[in-house]
Amino acid sequence: MTPLVIGSLGILALFVLILLQVPIGLAMIIVGVVGYALQGGWGPAFTILASEPSGLLSSVDLATVPLFLLMGTFASAAGFSADIYNAAAALLGHRRGGLAYATIGGCAAFGAVCGSSTATAATFAKAALPEMLRRGYAEGFSSGTIAAGGTLKSLIPPSIVMILYCIVSRTFIFDLFVAALLPALLAIVLNLFAIWVVVRINPEVAPLAERIAFEQKIVAVKRAAPVLVLMMAVFGGLYSGVFTVNEAASVAAVLSLGFAAARGRMDRESLWRGIRESASATAMIYVIIIGASIFTYYMTIARVPEALISLIGGLTVSPIVIIFALLVAYLILGAVFDEIAAMLITLPFVLPIIEQLGYDAIWWGIINVVVIELGMIIPPIGIIVFILHGLAPQISLRTIYRGVVPFILADLVLLALLTLFPEISLALPRALK
C-alpha cells in the first residue's frame, strides 16, 4: 500500500474508535501501536509504548500544564472573575453596550490567570450573565458576548492549547507566548468592535444604565487590584526574562493560592477539591499527548508527511491557496469534531507541509489557536455554547448561536489578517532574538 493509503486507513480507524466512545488519547495509542507494529514489528512498537510515556512524564515543559491549571483553580476560588467584571462594569456600565465591553475585558484579564477557555466562559456566565439580563440586555447578545469572551482565553498566555501545540511540534513555549501577544490584542479589539457595531445597529439589545458614583468605582477597582498584582508578578517576570515558563507557572500557582487563602476562601476541602480537579484534567491531557506522540511515530514510519509534501509540491498553485484550503478543512473538521483533538491528530503530517511551504511553526501555532477559538463557538458542536446553555437553560441554543454570529465574523477577520500578514505573529519573537 502507498503511504497515503496507510495514513488514510489510520485516520479512519481512529475515527471509528472515537465514534465507539473510546477516549481520544487511548484511541491514538491503539492506532499508533498497531499501525507501527504492522509496519515495523511488535517489538519496536511495544518499545515506543514504553519509552514515550516515560519521556513525556519526565518532560519539564509539560509540567507547566498542572501548574497553570492549579493557578486557574485557585484564582476562581479567590473570586477574581467577579472582581474583574465588577471593576470593568463600574467603569463602563453606563455606556451603550458597556456591560458587554466589560465582559470582553474581564474575560481577557481573567484569561491571563486561568488555564481554560471553558472555565473562563463558565465563570463569567455566573458572574456577568445575570447582571446583563437584569439590566435588560438581550439574551442572545449577552450569552454571545460571554461565549466570545471565553474563547479569547485560548489566545491569551498562559494557554493550555499553546502548551500542547509546543509539546507536539517541539517548539519553544515562550516563543509562542510572545507571538500570541499582538494577535491576542487584535482579537480583543475586533471583539469590542463587533459589540460596537451590534449596539449601533440595534440599540435595544443593550439599554443604557445609570452612571455609578466615583467612590463606588474606586472601591470596585481596588477590589480587583490583586488580579493586577498577580498578572504583573507572573507575566512581568516571564517576559522580562526573570522567570522561565516553568518558574512563572509555579509562582502563579503559589500566588493565586496565597490570595485565595488571604481572602478566607481556601479551606482544606476547597484545596483538595482544586487539586483533584487539576489532577484529573492533567491526567486527561497527558494521555492525549502520549497518544499524539505515538500516533506521530506511526505516521512517520508510514512516510505520510513525505508523501503529502511530494503531492502538494506537484500542485501548480500559490502556497497561500494551500494554506486557505487547510484552514477551510480545519473549520469543517472543527464543526463536527473536537478542535484540540483535530489539531493533535493532524499536526504530525500538516506541520511538515507548512514548513515545506516556507512558513514558520510558531505562526502556524497561532493560526491553530485561532481556528480552535472559532471551533468552540461554531455550530453544530460549539462546546462553549453548550456550556452556556447548560448553565442558563432558559436561553435556547438557537438564541446563543445567533448571538455569537458577530463574534464569529470578527474571528474570521482575525484569521484572515493573521494568515495574510504573518508578521503580526512573528514580529515580537523576531525582535527578541
Side-chain angles (χ1 to χ4, degrees):
M1 289 187 290
T2 65
L4 291 181
V5 172
I6 295 173
S8 299
L9 290 175
I11 295 291
L12 178 62
L14 187 60
F15 284 164
V16 169
L17 289 176
I18 292 170
L19 290 174
L20 293 175
Q21 304 298 311
V22 177
I24 178 66
L26 292 179
M28 286 192 287
I29 291 173
I30 293 169
V31 174
V33 170
V34 173
Y36 193 102
L38 292 177
Q39 298 172 87
W42 287 99
F46 284 128
T47 299
I48 291 174
L49 181 60
S51 62
E52 279 305 296
S54 175
L56 288 168
L57 288 172
S58 61
S59 169
V60 175
D61 289 336
L62 203 51
T64 59
V65 171
L67 291 171
F68 279 130
L69 288 174
L70 280 173
M71 176 189 70
T73 298
F74 296 149
S76 297
F80 283 168
S81 59
D83 294 339
I84 294 170
Y85 176 73
N86 290 336
L91 298 173
L92 301 171
H94 63 282
R95 299 182 178 275
R96 177 79 66 185
L99 292 184
Y101 294 130
T103 298
I104 293 295
C107 285
F110 185 66
V113 294
C114 178
S116 168
S117 292
T118 54
T120 300
T123 301
F124 272 80
K126 299 173 184 176
L129 186 59
E131 184 66 16
M132 296 175 80
L133 297 179
R134 187 181 69 81
R135 298 197 187 187
Y137 278 57
E139 289 183 341
F141 180 61
S142 302
S143 55
T145 302
I146 294 169
T151 64
L152 286 174
K153 168 61 212 138
S154 298
L155 200 52
I156 297 175
S159 167
I160 299 300
V161 176
M162 291 187 199
I163 295 173
L164 297 183
Y165 175 87
C166 290
I167 297 298
V168 176
S169 65
R170 291 177 171 82
T171 53
F172 291 110
I173 296 174
F174 180 76
D175 287 348
L176 195 57
F177 279 5
V178 172
L181 293 179
L182 289 181
L185 182 59
L186 183 57
I188 294 169
V189 170
L190 288 172
N191 276 274
L192 294 176
F193 179 72
I195 294 172
W196 183 85
V197 171
V198 170
V199 299
R200 290 302 178 279
I201 295 175
N202 187 9
E204 289 78 15
V205 301
L208 287 171
E210 294 183 3
R211 187 187 298 267
I212 69 171
F214 179 75
E215 292 77 13
Q216 291 177 280
K217 293 182 180 181
I218 295 299
V219 171
V221 171
K222 285 184 177 179
R223 182 69 181 171
V227 184
L228 183 60
V229 172
L230 177 59
M231 292 172 60
M232 291 178 62
V234 175
F235 298 104
L238 175 61
Y239 291 116
S240 65
V242 175
F243 300 149
T244 64
V245 174
N246 306 79
E247 291 165 348
S250 303
V251 171
V254 172
L255 282 179
S256 56
L257 174 60
F259 280 124
R263 291 183 166 193
R265 298 185 179 183
M266 187 54 67
D267 54 21
R268 181 178 298 178
E269 181 181 349
S270 299
L271 176 62
W272 281 113
R273 183 172 61 251
I275 292 175
R276 285 197 304 271
E277 291 174 356
S278 299
S280 176
T282 300
M284 177 192 69
I285 290 171
Y286 267 69
V287 171
I288 291 175
I289 290 294
I290 290 170
S293 180
I294 294 175
F295 189 75
T296 299
Y297 273 101
Y298 157 60
M299 286 293 175
T300 301
I301 194 175
R303 305 184 70 83
V304 174
E306 293 91 330
L308 284 172
I309 290 172
S310 298
L311 177 65
I312 292 175
L315 299 176
T316 57
V317 296
S318 169
I320 195 65
V321 174
I322 297 173
I323 294 296
F324 273 106
L326 287 172
L327 293 180
V328 171
Y330 268 108
L331 290 175
I332 294 172
L333 189 62
V336 296
F337 197 62
D338 178 78
E339 297 77 24
I340 296 178
M343 178 188 76
L344 294 178
I345 291 170
T346 57
L347 199 57
F349 50 87
V350 171
L351 186 58
I353 294 173
I354 298 300
E355 293 177 327
Q356 180 69 22
L357 293 173
Y359 290 95
D360 194 287
I362 294 295
W363 168 80
W364 186 244
I366 299 298
I367 296 296
N368 267 251
V369 171
V370 176
V371 171
I372 287 172
E373 277 189 11
L374 275 162
M376 288 181 176
I377 54 177
I378 283 182
I381 301 284
I383 182 64
I384 286 183
V385 174
F386 279 89
I387 289 173
L388 287 176
H389 178 64
L391 294 172
Q394 75 277 13
I395 305 177
S396 68
L397 283 172
R398 179 178 296 180
T399 299
I400 301 175
Y401 276 126
R402 190 166 57 244
V404 300
V405 168
F407 303 101
I408 291 176
L409 295 176
D411 275 349
L412 287 173
V413 171
L414 174 67
L415 184 61
L417 290 173
L418 295 177
T419 303
L420 293 172
F421 306 102
E423 198 61 28
I424 297 174
S425 304
L426 299 176
L428 286 179
R430 287 174 177 170
L432 294 178
K433 287 185 179 179

